Amino acid sequence: MTNTEIRIGIDLGGTKIEALAIDDQGVELARHRIDTPRDDYTATIMAMVGLVRRLEAETGKTGTVGAGIPGSISRITGLVKNSNSTWLNGRPLDRDLTAALGREVRIANDANCLAVSEATDGAAAGKHVVFGVILGTGCGGGVAINGRVHEGPNGVAGEWGHNPLPWPKAEENPGPVCYCGKRGCMEMWVSGTGIALDYKTVTGRAQTTREIVSQFETGDRDAVAAMDRFEDRLARGFAEVINILDPDVIVVGGGVSRVAHFYEDLPKKLAAYVFGGEASTPIVPAMYGDSSGVRGAAWLWPNLRS
Ligand SMILES: [Zn+2]
């Protein structure tokens, strides 16, 4: 190997920063995870630089660097927008990180990184158009075409979480207020937050999503009804994506994606909403689970030096 044959990926999360180095075959060489210096932009940059230096010292190689972030870089201002790690918003993160490291850094939305990771060597390997979804506390989406991020001129391609829930029923209108300022966003229905909120609205009882899922598994009536509503809403959201993009596969990551049940049920529910009544789109869990974001960040450089 020459001196440059590794890729470094960084997953900048709201509570943790994860970084890894992989070789040309995607084999993991080293990995580290540290707490995110919340609310401190300069410390966040320095923490990311520190992780790159550490991985390079350990592997003895210099790498390309990609980073996945919550939010995206505005094509208009060059500044971070739409990040729930709010101390990043309005900052030129890519330029600052590039300057601090002395080399070009590629940055993409974390759901885009998931799509790239899974399209490169994961559950969607070799697929042409991949829609990646993170169903965690919130709900993100991203698109990879031929293994590359499709961002769009506004940098929001795939952001289905802030489309309104399609085909709303009377009791779903206008829907809960979202942090983005609008009402009834998908994120407020099909995320962990949304599942718990819906359960409380319907039953009057506060439960965590984890509790609701475990009660679902024991057959509890309220939990089964809650998960059925969740699946139906997810099917409507995916149907809207299929009507626009018709991806070859939908890959799902994030904590909620571990609920195995919906991979069986969802395809049946989908057809009722997709135009024409046919839907053969595979819906599969992310092969790399929580590591899809950091691996996808590394694969933002599919070819070294270009
Ligand atoms: Zn919203």
Side-chain angles (χ1 to χ4, degrees):
M1 267 189 178
T2 67
N3 197 32
T4 54
E5 286 178 341
I6 62 167
R7 293 172 175 82
I8 292 172
I10 305 171
D11 185 9
L12 174 55
T15 55
K16 298 279 179 194
I17 305 176
E18 185 143 26
L20 58 62
I22 56 175
D23 70 11
D24 261 2
Q25 306 303 312
V27 175
E28 186 175 320
L29 305 172
R31 178 194 292 245
H32 294 289
R33 186 178 236 228
I34 60 171
D35 289 338
T36 304
R38 290 182 65 85
D39 302 316
D40 188 336
Y41 178 71
T42 305
T44 300
I45 296 275
M46 294 324 293
M48 294 168 87
V49 170
L51 284 164
V52 171
R53 302 268 186 256
R54 203 165 147 192
L55 290 167
E56 291 184 337
E58 280 173 13
T59 57
K61 294 181 171 68
T62 306
T64 55
V65 179
I69 65 166
S72 62
I73 307 273
S74 164
R75 293 267 181 103
I76 295 168
T77 64
L79 309 175
V80 176
K81 64 176 180 177
N82 297 339
S83 180
N84 53 10
S85 295
T86 50
W87 68 97
L88 304 176
N89 285 325
R91 302 286 196 154
L93 182 64
D94 56 344
R95 291 204 300 271
D96 287 344
L97 197 53
T98 291
L101 274 171
R103 81 192 83 153
E104 186 192 348
V105 176
R106 289 185 183 163
I107 289 186
N109 174 265
D110 47 13
N112 286 335
C113 287
L114 173 124
V116 167
S117 167
E118 295 297 324
T120 303
D121 62 355
K127 299 286 189 186
H128 175 49
V129 178
V130 178
F131 187 66
V133 179
I134 300 177
L135 299 178
T137 309
C139 147
V143 180
I145 300 176
N146 291 334
R148 305 263 187 147
V149 172
H150 172 70
E151 266 184 340
N154 301 296
V156 295
E159 289 287 5
W160 77 319
H162 299 277
N163 278 3
L165 177 69
W167 299 284
K169 297 171 180 160
E171 66 272 22
E172 293 169 335
N173 233 333
V177 174
C178 179
Y179 72 87
C180 76
K182 300 206 165 52
R183 296 192 73 131
C185 290
M186 284 302 290
E187 175 146 344
M188 300 311 296
W189 294 109
V190 301
S191 59
T193 306
I195 292 169
L197 182 63
D198 169 71
Y199 183 90
K200 189 173 179 211
T201 304
V202 173
T203 66
R205 300 195 308 276
Q207 299 266 36
T208 64
T209 304
R210 194 179 291 264
E211 287 165 343
I212 296 163
V213 169
S214 66
Q215 287 160 9
F216 164 80
E217 281 158 358
T218 65
D220 174 85
R221 201 176 60 181
D222 286 340
V224 168
M227 293 309 287
D228 192 58
R229 290 192 297 277
F230 160 69
E231 286 177 3
D232 186 72
R233 289 164 183 153
L234 193 56
R236 282 183 260 164
F238 284 165
E240 186 177 58
V241 170
I242 291 169
N243 279 352
I244 296 168
L245 186 66
D246 207 355
D248 294 301
V249 58
I250 296 175
V251 187
V252 189
V256 179
S257 69
R258 294 188 203 107
V259 184
H261 183 258
F262 73 72
Y263 298 102
E264 291 165 36
D265 267 25
L266 222 51
K268 295 176 221 157
K269 292 184 195 284
L270 260 185
Y273 295 110
V274 172
F275 183 52
E278 291 177 350
S280 59
T281 312
I283 299 169
V284 296
M287 182 188 286
Y288 288 105
D290 292 340
S291 292
S292 283
V294 72
R295 291 183 64 89
W299 287 120
L300 291 175
W301 293 85
N303 305 306
L304 295 168
R305 301 175 210 95
S306 66

